């Protein structure tokens, strides 16, 4: 029941996922109509990061893939994890 039409599973309601991008109120930078990697930071231990996905004990408005929340990069929690991903190269 937890599968998208594209075969993705576990994207919401399980745990928040850390993202590598720095939190910006206006969202990530855009290049060519798509979000660009945003790894710029002045102090990696004190730069707010983005978390996404919503945890099992989160308010309903956060339990969705599109939720984007600012989080202190030093925070550790039982409902906060990360997801290993890789870029897809359309030329492979």
């Amino acid at each position: 029941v937890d599968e998208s039409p594209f075969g993705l599973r576990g994207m919401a309601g399980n745990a928040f996922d850390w993202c590598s991008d720095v939190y910006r109120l206006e969202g990530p930078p855009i290049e060519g109509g798509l979000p660009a990697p945003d790894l710029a930071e002045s102090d990696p231990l004190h730069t707010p990061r983005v978390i996404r996905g919503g945890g099992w004990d989160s308010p309903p408005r956060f339990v969705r893939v599109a939720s984007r929340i600012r989080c202190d990069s030093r925070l550790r929690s039982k409902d906060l994890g990360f997801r290993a991903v890789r870029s897809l190269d359309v030329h492979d």
Side-chain angles (χ1 to χ4, degrees):
V1 296
D2 181 24
E3 186 170 336
S4 79
F6 304 104
L8 297 173
R9 296 181 182 162
M11 295 297 292
N14 186 16
F16 283 106
D17 289 324
W18 280 110
C19 297
S20 62
D21 45 331
V22 171
Y23 180 85
R24 297 181 192 290
L25 183 61
E26 66 277 5
I30 303 295
E31 290 179 7
L34 297 171
D38 184 9
L39 304 174
E41 57 194 70
S42 56
D43 181 354
L45 293 176
H46 298 94
T47 301
R49 298 290 180 165
V50 173
I51 58 174
R52 294 184 181 268
W56 58 271
D57 63 347
S58 303
R61 69 176 192 252
F62 295 131
V63 185
R64 59 190 198 101
V65 176
S67 64
R68 180 179 163 276
I69 303 163
R70 178 184 193 269
C71 193
D72 185 315
S73 61
R74 297 168 291 176
L75 178 70
R76 303 298 178 260
S77 174
K78 67 185 180 305
D79 64 347
L80 180 59
F82 66 94
R83 189 176 297 253
V85 298
R86 69 178 181 97
S87 296
L88 295 177
D89 187 352
V90 295
H91 303 292
D92 282 345

